[in-house]
Amino acid sequence: MKKYLIVVAGGKGVRMGGSVPKQFLSVKGKPVLMRTLEAFYSWDKGMELIVVLPEEQQSCWKHLCAEHGFHVPHKVVSGGETRFHSVKNGLELIPGEEGMVGVHDGVRPFVSAEVIAECYRQAESREAVVPVIDVVETVRRLLPDGGSETVPRSDYRLVQTPQVFAVKLLKQAYAQDYVPQFTDDASVVEALGHPVYLVPGNRENIKLTTPFDLKMAEALIKD
C-alpha cells in the first residue's frame, strides 16, 4: 500500500530565542529537518515525503540542501495560516484517496523506526492512529476559582507524531471548516465522529522547541 508523509515545518523558533527557524537549526552539524526526513527515508525509501514550509523559508531550505548535499527525495509545498491549513496544502499533493498518510512535526527527528512501522501497520486496519507515551509526573488541573486539584495521571497520555491515517479519511476530515479546537490531525478526524486509536510512542521522540531541547538532541545523536 502506498505510503505518504506530510512533514509540517513552519516553526519560527521564537522559544529558541534566535532568528533561525527551529527546523533549520543545526544539531551536530546537520539541520533538524534533514534528520527528521532521514528517519522516515531510512525506514522506507519508497515513501513519498512532502515538506510544508512557509514560502519565505523555501529558498533557505534549498540553499541548506545544496550546502549539505542532502538528496533525500521530497516535495515542498507552501504552508498556510495555521497548522490545519498547512496540512491541507500538503494533502493536495497526494493524488486520489488510496494509501496511508502520516503527519509529522518537522522538529521531531528522534521517532524510532519501530514506532513509524507500528503506526502505519495499525492504520491499515484502524484508519486513524497516533503514538502516545505515559505521563510520568503528577498532573494538576486548574480550577475556575483559582485553585487546582490533582488528577489521575493514568487517565492521560502525551501525544506524539507521526499521526497516521487512511488518505481517504484524512482528506474527508480536512474538507471541514477550520475551528480553533483543531490542535492536531487526530482532533480533525475526531470531528467526523471517527475513533482514533493509540499505539506506544518512544520517549526520545521529543519536539525540539527550547534551547534545553537542543541540548537533549545533542546527547541523543550517536553519530
Side-chain angles (χ1 to χ4, degrees):
M1 184 176 292
K2 180 67 176 179
K3 300 180 183 68
Y4 301 89
L5 180 75
I6 298 171
V7 179
V8 184
K12 297 181 180 179
V14 174
R15 280 177 284 182
M16 286 292 185
S19 58
V20 178
K22 57 188 177 182
Q23 60 269 18
F24 295 162
L25 290 173
S26 178
V27 178
K28 285 196 175 179
K30 185 181 294 183
V32 171
L33 181 55
M34 291 184 186
R35 293 188 177 276
T36 299
L37 291 172
E38 286 175 343
F40 288 87
Y41 185 67
S42 296
W43 176 68
D44 184 352
K45 291 180 171 56
M47 171 181 283
E48 186 167 318
L49 304 175
I50 300 166
V51 177
V52 186
L53 279 171
E55 189 172 352
E56 64 272 16
Q57 294 180 9
Q58 292 178 19
S59 60
C60 178
W61 173 242
K62 185 176 181 180
H63 173 77
L64 286 171
C65 288
E67 179 183 342
H68 289 267
F70 186 70
H71 299 300
V72 171
H74 65 280
K75 297 177 180 178
V76 177
V77 65
S78 295
E81 181 182 352
T82 68
R83 187 183 190 281
F84 174 92
H85 298 96
S86 292
V87 174
K88 190 170 185 176
N89 288 352
L91 281 170
E92 290 179 358
L93 293 190
I94 297 178
E97 297 184 336
E98 299 299 318
M100 312 305 299
V101 55
V103 183
H104 190 66
D105 298 319
V107 289
R108 287 188 190 267
F110 300 117
V111 60
S112 71
E114 292 77 14
V115 169
I116 297 172
E118 187 65 7
C119 286
Y120 277 88
R121 186 183 74 81
Q122 293 277 359
E124 287 187 12
S125 59
R126 294 185 162 182
E127 296 191 325
V129 173
V130 301
V132 298
I133 58 173
D134 292 340
V135 178
V136 297
E137 300 186 39
T138 298
V139 177
R140 295 190 67 84
R141 183 172 70 91
L142 301 181
L143 301 174
D145 63 4
S148 65
E149 64 180 9
T150 300
V151 295
R153 63 188 177 195
S154 60
D155 289 347
Y156 297 87
R157 296 292 183 270
L158 300 178
V159 177
Q160 301 180 329
T161 63
Q163 300 186 5
V164 183
F165 309 89
V167 170
K168 182 177 181 179
L169 174 62
L170 198 61
K171 285 192 172 186
Q172 288 174 344
Y174 274 89
Q176 300 174 101
D177 292 332
Y178 169 74
V179 296
Q181 290 72 30
F182 290 159
T183 56
D184 68 353
D185 310 286
S187 61
V188 182
V189 168
E190 282 179 325
L192 284 181
H194 195 287
V196 173
Y197 297 91
L198 309 181
V199 299
N202 63 296
R203 192 158 291 279
E204 301 87 355
N205 186 17
I206 58 175
K207 188 176 182 180
L208 306 182
T209 56
T210 69
F212 178 74
D213 296 333
L214 282 181
K215 292 181 180 178
M216 291 186 64
E218 294 278 349
L220 285 169
I221 293 173
K222 303 295 192 296
D223 54 61

